[in-house]
Amino acid sequence: MDFLIDSFLSAVLLIGSLDPGLLQIIGVSLKVSCTSTLIASLLGVPGGFIIAFGRFPMKRLLITILNTLLALPTVVVGLFVYAFISRRGLFGVFDLLYTQKAMIIGQVILIIPIVATFTISAVSRIDDRYRKTALTVGANLLQTAWMIVREARFGIAAAIIAAFGRVIAEVGISMMLGGNVRGFTRTMTTAMALEYDKGQFVLGVALGIALLGVSFGVNLFFNYFQGKVRV
Amino acid sequence: MLYELRNLKKTYDGRTVLDLEQLCLDRGKITSLMGPNGAGKTTLLEIMAFLSGPSSGEVWFEQGKVDFTTEKLIHLRRKVVLVEQQSILFTTRVWKNVAFPLRIRGVPRARQAGMVEELLGLVGMGAFRDARAHKLSGGETQRVAIARGLACFPEVILLDEPTANVDVENQIAIERIIQEINQKKGISVIFTTHNMIQASRLADQTVFLYEGRVARSIYENIFSGYIETDRNGCKQCILQYGLRLDVDSQKSGPVRISIDPGAVKIRRDQSNGSAENTFKGKLIQLTDEQSRVRALVDIGIPLSVLVPKAVFGNLDLGMGAEVWLTCPVESIEVF
C-alpha cells in the first residue's frame, strides 16, 4: 500500500514539474486520439444518420452488426490492420506500420461503430415534427438533415465523448500498430504498460493520473459546451 | 382555383384514411375543414402541404398537376406552409426560429432582423424575441410557429387545429392573426377545427369530412347509437342514456347519426308535441351567429339547434328555460 501512496505523491511531483518526457507522451496521446475521434465523427455521424433515416435492404442486420462491433477487442483491430499494413500486406508499400497514422487507422475502425450507433440512437429519438417543420418551411434535404442533427446534438456529443474515451484509454491498437516507439508512437497507455513491465510504478501512476486528468478536461469541455447551448 | 383534388386516395397499411372524389378550394379565401377525429383532416393538410403524396389520384395546385416524385416539390413547398396542431420550435431562441425560413431563402442577415421584428410584432410576440423557444407556453409556441410560417412568405398557410390546447386569450389572438393575414396579406388560409362557431365566424367556406370523405351533411350533432326494429316494424336508434329516435334507414346494429341543427324545431310548450322524436330539454347555451341564434339544449344529450333570429325573438326564451325539441326523421342522417 505504501508503494502506491509513494508512487502517487511522486507522480504528482512529476506532473507538477512538467517533465518533458511526460508531456511528450501526453502530446502524442492527445494528437492521435483527437485525430482519430475527429475522423470517426466525420464518417460516423453522417453514416449513422443515413442508416437511421435511409430505407434499404438488411438495415436491421447492419445495425445489429454495428452493435456487435461495439464489443470489438482492440487486439482484433490491431491484428486486422496489421495484416494489411505490414510489409507483406496489401498496403505494405505505404510503410505505415509503427507510425501514428497506423494507430489512427486502427482507432478509427475501433470507434466508428460507437459514433454511428450512438448517432442512430440519438437521431431516431428526435421528434418527427422537426423533419416536417424543416420541410414545410422550405428546407432542402441537406438543410433538413442538418436541423435534425442539430436537435440531436446532445446525443451526438455523447457519442463523440464515448468514442474519445475509448481511444484515449485503449492500449492494444497503439501497441500493435504504433510499436510504443519513444517520442514518436509512445502513448500514455503504452508507456504505462512498459513502466509496469519494468517495475517502475511512479511514471505509470503519473501517466494514469494524467490520463484521467485529460479525460476529465475533455468531459468538462463538452459539459460546458452542452450547458452553454442548451436552451 | 387554388387546389383541386381528383379521385384522391390515401391508404396506410391497407386502411383508406382519405377518399375524395373531387374537392376544389378557392384562392384568397379562408377555408375551414371540419370533421371528427380520424376524419382525415390532418392527412389532407399534409398532402396539400406537399409533405406526403396520395396513394392514388391527382392533386392540382394553381392549375398545375403536382408530381410528388420529383425534387421540384421544394418549389411548391416554398409556396405553402403547414403549422401543425402541436407545433414544435427548434431548440434555440425565438428569433432564430423565425429567421430560419429567411436564412434558407438567402435573405441577407442585415434584413433578417427587421423582418423577424415585424413578424413577431404581427403575432404579438415582439417581447419574446430573445426568449428560449422551449420555455414558451402552448399558445405562445403556436403564435411563434405562425410567425415562422409567415416568414416563408407563403401563398397558402395551412393550420391544423390552431386554437386547440390554447387558452381563450391566445385563441382570440390566433383568430385575429388568421383574419389579418388573409385580409392584409392576401394569404389563403386553410384551417382545421372542431369548433363550429369558430368556423362560421372565420371561414368563407367550410368542408366537412367524415371517414375520409367529404360529408354531405353538416358535421354537427353526431352521436353513436344502435338501430333496432320495434314491434310495429319501425326503426329506432337508441342513443346514449337510452334516448330513442325514430329513423328512416335500412341499417341495423351499431351506427352513427347526425341531426341537422337547422331542421330541429324548438317550442316553449308541448303543443303539437305529439309528433315523433319530441323531447323536453333545458336551454344551456345561446350564441349569436349572424342571422341565426345557436341554442344548445340538454335533452339528455347536448343538442345544437339553429333558429332564425326573428323566430327566436318570438319565443322569448332565456337561459335555463324549459323547451321542447322535435327532430323530424328527415333531419336525421344515419352513417
Side-chain angles (χ1 to χ4, degrees):
Chain A
M1 197 63 194
D2 286 344
F3 99 91
L4 197 63
I5 295 166
D6 288 344
S7 297
F8 184 80
L9 291 175
S10 304
V12 171
L13 288 173
L14 193 68
I15 293 168
S17 68
L18 298 175
D19 178 72
L22 180 69
L23 290 181
Q24 192 175 45
I25 292 169
I26 294 172
V28 170
S29 285
L30 278 176
K31 185 183 166 191
V32 171
S33 302
C34 288
T35 309
S36 56
T37 306
L38 181 71
I39 295 168
S41 302
L42 291 173
L43 296 171
V45 173
F49 188 91
I50 291 165
I51 294 167
F53 286 96
R55 287 179 189 169
F56 52 88
M58 302 210 278
K59 176 173 162 176
R60 291 178 72 89
L61 179 67
L62 180 61
I63 294 172
T64 307
I65 290 169
L66 280 172
N67 286 334
T68 308
L69 292 177
L70 293 177
L72 194 63
T74 54
V75 285
V76 173
V77 178
L79 277 171
F80 177 76
V81 177
Y82 181 89
F84 281 89
I85 65 171
S86 64
R87 286 194 181 278
R88 286 177 296 171
L90 195 61
F91 304 116
V93 288
F94 297 113
D95 211 16
L96 288 168
L97 194 60
Y98 304 135
T99 65
Q100 289 182 6
K101 283 179 189 164
M103 293 160 73
I104 290 167
I105 291 168
Q107 290 187 349
V108 167
I109 293 169
L110 180 73
I111 60 172
I112 274 185
I114 297 175
V115 179
T117 308
F118 278 50
T119 301
I120 291 168
S121 168
V123 298
S124 299
R125 271 181 287 172
I126 291 297
D127 196 319
D128 191 48
R129 284 176 296 167
Y130 284 114
R131 182 187 64 84
K132 281 187 190 168
T133 302
L135 286 175
T136 197
V137 298
N140 60 29
L141 283 179
L142 206 63
Q143 288 162 333
T144 304
W146 172 245
M147 285 314 292
I148 293 168
V149 167
R150 204 177 165 282
E151 290 302 326
R153 59 193 179 275
F154 304 112
I156 292 171
I160 296 169
I161 292 170
F164 179 79
R166 182 93 157 107
V167 286
I168 194 88
E170 73 82 23
V171 62
I173 293 168
S174 299
M175 192 68 91
M176 293 170 78
L177 302 177
N180 197 19
V181 182
R182 187 178 182 179
F184 189 57
T185 58
R186 182 164 296 172
T187 64
M188 288 188 277
T189 49
T190 56
M192 267 188 270
L194 180 71
E195 296 307 313
Y196 167 78
D197 283 345
K198 286 173 14 189
Q200 299 291 323
F201 295 107
V202 175
L203 185 60
V205 174
L207 287 164
I209 294 168
L211 180 70
L212 286 174
V214 167
S215 292
F216 184 67
V218 169
N219 279 293
L220 214 57
F221 169 74
F222 273 104
N223 271 327
Y224 171 75
F225 170 74
Q226 285 183 326
K228 201 169 172 64
V229 296
R230 185 183 283 276
V231 288
Chain B
M1 189 68 64
L2 186 67
Y3 284 100
E4 189 177 352
L5 314 178
R6 297 175 190 167
N7 301 316
L8 184 139
K9 274 192 181 185
K10 181 75 179 179
T11 53
Y12 289 116
D13 301 325
R15 192 171 63 92
T16 303
V17 292
L18 209 55
D19 185 0
L20 303 172
E21 201 173 302
Q22 189 171 34
L23 178 63
C24 300
L25 300 178
D26 294 331
R27 173 189 290 280
K29 297 271 176 68
I30 300 180
T31 305
S32 65
L33 290 176
M34 295 195 71
N37 291 333
K41 302 186 297 294
T42 303
T43 306
L44 179 56
L45 285 191
E46 288 190 356
I47 290 172
M48 289 198 290
F50 313 116
L51 291 176
S52 80
S55 306
S56 65
E58 295 175 0
V59 177
W60 289 70
F61 179 72
E62 295 180 331
Q63 274 77 49
K65 189 181 169 188
V66 179
D67 184 353
F68 282 88
T69 58
T70 65
E71 289 182 1
K72 288 178 187 167
L73 220 50
I74 190 168
H75 301 298
L76 292 177
R77 282 199 196 118
R78 290 194 171 188
K79 293 182 177 183
V80 181
V81 69
L82 170 67
V83 179
E84 290 185 287
Q85 184 182 352
Q86 286 176 319
S87 298
I88 203 158
L89 298 178
F90 301 123
T91 45
T92 181
R93 306 278 165 179
V94 165
W95 75 267
K96 284 190 178 174
N97 269 276
V98 181
F100 179 69
L102 301 174
R103 214 175 65 221
I104 59 175
R105 280 167 177 74
V107 174
R109 272 182 184 273
R111 282 184 59 209
Q112 285 181 18
M115 293 166 96
V116 168
E117 294 281 344
E118 187 195 330
L119 290 165
L120 286 175
L122 183 70
V123 298
M125 290 294 290
F128 292 82
R129 185 188 178 280
D130 294 314
R132 292 170 175 181
H134 276 217
K135 301 282 182 188
L136 300 181
S137 70
E140 289 162 352
T141 299
Q142 199 68 7
R143 282 151 70 181
V144 173
I146 293 173
R148 182 176 59 190
L150 294 174
C152 304
F153 306 111
E155 291 175 24
V156 186
I157 187 162
L158 307 166
L159 303 161
D160 193 3
E161 297 192 30
T163 55
N165 314 318
V166 300
D167 59 23
V168 177
E169 190 188 345
N170 278 297
Q171 272 184 31
I172 295 166
I174 290 168
E175 286 182 8
R176 179 187 58 78
I177 295 163
I178 290 174
Q179 285 176 318
E180 270 191 31
I181 57 177
N182 177 253
Q183 287 161 11
K184 292 185 180 170
K185 293 182 180 287
I187 298 171
S188 306
V189 181
I190 300 166
F191 72 99
T192 63
T193 183
H194 288 287
N195 187 337
M196 187 71 198
I197 297 166
Q198 186 183 57
S200 62
R201 196 167 52 231
L202 294 175
D204 302 308
Q205 61 180 131
T206 298
V207 176
F208 299 95
L209 288 178
Y210 185 77
E211 292 185 344
R213 292 186 169 88
V214 175
R216 280 176 286 119
S217 68
I218 296 167
Y219 160 66
E220 225 178 340
N221 293 333
I222 291 183
F223 306 102
S224 296
Y226 188 89
I227 288 185
E228 60 178 33
T229 310
D230 68 9
R231 289 175 195 161
N232 305 323
C234 296
K235 294 268 185 153
Q236 283 201 319
C237 183
I238 302 153
L239 302 183
Q240 224 176 351
Y241 308 117
L243 204 70
R244 285 173 177 267
L245 285 164
D246 289 344
V247 292
D248 181 15
S249 171
Q250 300 301 312
K251 292 186 178 176
S252 57
V255 291
R256 294 186 92 183
I257 63 162
S258 91
I259 304 171
D260 182 354
V264 178
K265 306 277 186 304
I266 184 166
R267 292 188 191 84
R268 283 186 68 90
D269 51 49
Q270 206 180 356
S271 59
N272 307 324
S274 56
E276 59 204 359
N277 294 340
T278 297
F279 306 97
K280 187 181 174 187
K282 192 175 171 184
L283 195 56
I284 55 171
Q285 193 182 355
L286 288 170
T287 318
D288 188 342
E289 280 189 24
Q290 292 160 4
S291 64
R292 296 191 290 185
V293 171
R294 181 179 298 277
L296 192 66
V297 180
D298 182 2
I299 58 166
I301 52 169
L303 198 71
S304 190
V305 184
L306 276 171
V307 192
K309 268 187 183 166
V311 175
F312 190 81
N314 291 335
L315 288 170
D316 190 25
L317 293 170
M319 288 296 291
E322 279 193 355
V323 292
W324 290 84
L325 298 185
T326 301
C327 309
V329 170
E330 313 84 68
S331 71
I332 303 168
E333 189 178 344
V334 180
F335 299 94

